[in-house]
Amino acid sequence: MIELVSAQRCIGCDRCVDVCPTDVFDRGPDGVPVVARQADCQTCFLCEAWCPVDALFVAPERDPLPEGPDEAALGGTLGSYREAIGWGRGRTPGARVAVGPPLRHEPGDRPGPPLV
Amino acid sequence: MSDVLEIETDVLVAGGGPAGTWAALRAADAGADVVLVDKGWCGASGATAAAGTGVWYVEPDPQAREEAMASREALGGYLADRAWMGRVLDETYAGMNEFAARGRYPFPVDDDGRQIRRGVQGPEYMRRMRMLVRRAGVRILDHSPLLELLTDADGAVVGAAGQRRQAGGDYRIRAGAVVLATGGCAFASGALGTHVDTGDGTLAAAEVGAHLSGMEFSNAYAIAPAHSSVTKTAYYSYASFYRADGTVLEGAGSTRGRSVIARTLLSEPVLARLDHAGPAEREAMRCGQPNFFLAFDRAGIDPFTDRFPITLLAEGTVRGTGGIALASTACDTDVPGLYAAGDVATREYICGGFTGGGSHNAAWALSSGSWAGRAAAAHARTVADRRRAAVPAGGAGLRPAGGEGITAREMVREVQDQVLPYDLNYLRHGDRLAPALETLHGLWREARAGLADADPWRAREAAAMTAVARWMYTAALARDESRGMHKREDRPGSDPTWHHRLDVGGLDEPWTRSAALEVAA
Ligand SMILES: Cc1cc2nc3c(=O)[nH]c(=O)nc-3n(C[C@H](O)[C@H](O)[C@H](O)COP(=O)(O)OP(=O)(O)OC[C@H]3O[C@@H](n4cnc5c(N)ncnc54)[C@H](O)[C@@H]3O)c2cc1C
Ligand code: SF4
Ligand code: SF4
């Protein structure tokens, strides 16, 4: 679930307010979006991918964390998904290198495309 | 009365995932004026945007095509159709090639410098589809769920109405043709990217008289780390599965052995470890699906050396195959003016009773979207009077028949209680399905009577999930055998007299009927 909007990093571009498919954010009075409907978050990580300054953190848990994360302790985790898919100036798009391993089949499977 | 945004257009596309964006693009290419409405944000919404997806992209070599078509026929219970498969292979091949040029998608390159076009990364794919659609002049309304269809005096679809969640107010769009591309229904199970896929389009279509097919094949379940949303079963082909005490769970596997996992999860935890992946595979997995590792890296798990608890999340018709029945590869439905594409339409024509994913779905979204977009544009040209009287067709969740009941959230939880448990939906048995269906009928009556929500879209989602669940179990009880992904413990094995499709439809009184295998390609 979305757990953090970093007020230090956020430049108030409202990108996350736009792209979040489940409309989790509201525009904040000071320009920093607020997580207004966390229960609607689908843990898709897409706001992280779209934030231009790595100001968002989505925890992998489908349920809210008992306590919000400590921004200082997150360190390099902020922006790590955007980096992994190669979004951002000067990066190689992750799509360019997205070749997964051949997928193993189980005994008894017919040959064919992988079962995703 | 709130503000209503009134728009007139040739083609209205509802849903901005792959199916909706291909539909909008093809309709605009054909010269139509197009409006696309999305419940979320076209470009980040839907099951593809959050995932990485394989595409059924096969070189036009007769032997490769033959193998591709044969590979899933048995799994699908021989309910697929070669003519449709061939047309999907053609359309997908052409579409992906065009996407490479027109969308400038950065496909990976093989040792000979040739692009590998058999897969796309969701965020990149959908970002570029949004760009293409906008460049083609399509008007996009984001955060604007369709709530209901509008029909004329003859019952033809002439537009739709919906809500603008961020802008406020409602919209009412008159169109020469409407393409539904609202995705499947995953019952808000938590599976990656599927929260928006709640069956809204399916309900809207049934309300104007369209029927469905293949709804018994709607019980896809995918493996995810227990705490997370990342349903990526493919990589678990490298896994071994364990009990909590560290002993191997015999018979468990990511494909055929998935039911063993489901059965075990009913009473105890199941753990996985990707111990069959060597260094090369590990590296390739990270490149192939970066989001697969978010669930591990951020929870301090090394999936290759640590055993971690897993779960199975329902993906309903998203990686099932049932949906709105089509009349032909124009993706037209029973109702004039109404077209359907992607997961909201049945995929039986190319998958039969099984998909589980693996590139057919992406190919179907691209192909059916393209066909629907072109056909809708052509139909719109034949509709002269765009202003004839229209009535809204929506009922449950929108127009209470009396009284205020439970909230939408409560109703969703009650539907989930009937459709998520493995021993109800995955490991099916007539004795368990029948009472579950009774409960769902009761919930439908409550949805009809009225929900306690001020937000129409939430009430509509709850009503749609209830409706889809009823069609699913009505069909599952009717198909008196096991076939494809529909496995009945009380009816093991396939029965040759059931080698045909099953239609389902109806709102207050769901019905089923046998349907022939042949549908005009
Ligand atoms: C984790 C995961 C991995 C997958 N991997 C693969 C794979 O490798 N290969 C493959 O072929 N398939 C795969 N699939 C399946 C594939 O993602 C779907 O088949 C595909 O996304 C269907 O496209 P669609 O456009 O029909 O629906 P979606 O992509 O789900 O899009 C539906 C759109 O409709 C919008 N919408 C919903 N309701 C409304 C409404 N009321 N009004 C307006 N808009 C609405 C949504 O916001 C969304 O934008 C995977 C699915 C999942 C969940
Ligand atoms: S993770 Fe997805 S659903 Fe959650 S806030 Fe971010 S974009 Fe929205
Ligand atoms: S996308 Fe990032 S920078 Fe922009 S408003 Fe959201 S958090 Fe702030």
Side-chain angles (χ1 to χ4, degrees), chain A residues 4-7 9-19 25 31-33 47-48 50-56:
Chain A
L4 179 91
V5 183
S6 164
R9 295 183 179 218
C10 175
I11 53 168
C13 70
D14 284 347
R15 203 51 335 190
C16 55
V17 182
D18 288 341
V19 303
F25 303 97
V32 180
C47 50
E48 266 197 33
W50 281 85
C51 175
V53 293
D54 303 329
L56 297 166

Side-chain angles (χ1 to χ4, degrees), chain A residues 116, chain B residues 15-19 37-40 45-48 51-54 145-146 181-183 192 194 196-197 200 231-232 315 318-319 342-343 358-362 365:
Chain A
V116 187
Chain B
V37 295
D38 197 296
K39 185 200 279 186
S45 198
T48 290
T53 125
L146 171 143
T182 50
L192 192 64
T194 62
V196 288
D197 295 328
D200 308 2
T231 40
K232 201 72 216 175
E315 294 183 337
V318 173
R319 281 197 267 197
D343 287 359
S359 46
H360 288 57
N361 305 319

Side-chain angles (χ1 to χ4, degrees), chain A residues 1-2 16 19-25 40-48 58:
Chain A
M1 289 237 162
I2 178 75
C16 55
V19 303
C20 172
T22 54
D23 193 27
V24 161
F25 303 97
D40 287 336
C41 174
Q42 60 169 353
T43 320
C44 67
F45 306 98
L46 282 163
C47 50
E48 266 197 33
V58 179

Side-chain angles (χ1 to χ4, degrees), chain B residues 296-323:
Chain B
F296 300 119
D297 295 346
R298 294 180 181 192
I301 297 167
D302 181 339
F304 303 112
T305 57
D306 300 337
R307 285 191 285 261
F308 55 92
I310 56 162
T311 187
L312 291 169
L313 295 179
E315 294 183 337
T317 62
V318 173
R319 281 197 267 197
T321 74

Side-chain angles (χ1 to χ4, degrees), chain B residues 468-489:
Chain B
V468 171
R470 289 164 76 232
W471 289 314
M472 184 167 98
Y473 281 176
T474 299
L477 274 165
R479 186 174 282 281
D480 219 13
E481 60 154 4
S482 292
R483 190 179 294 269
M485 66 171 64
H486 165 72
K487 298 269 191 290
R488 288 260 305 260
E489 286 176 352

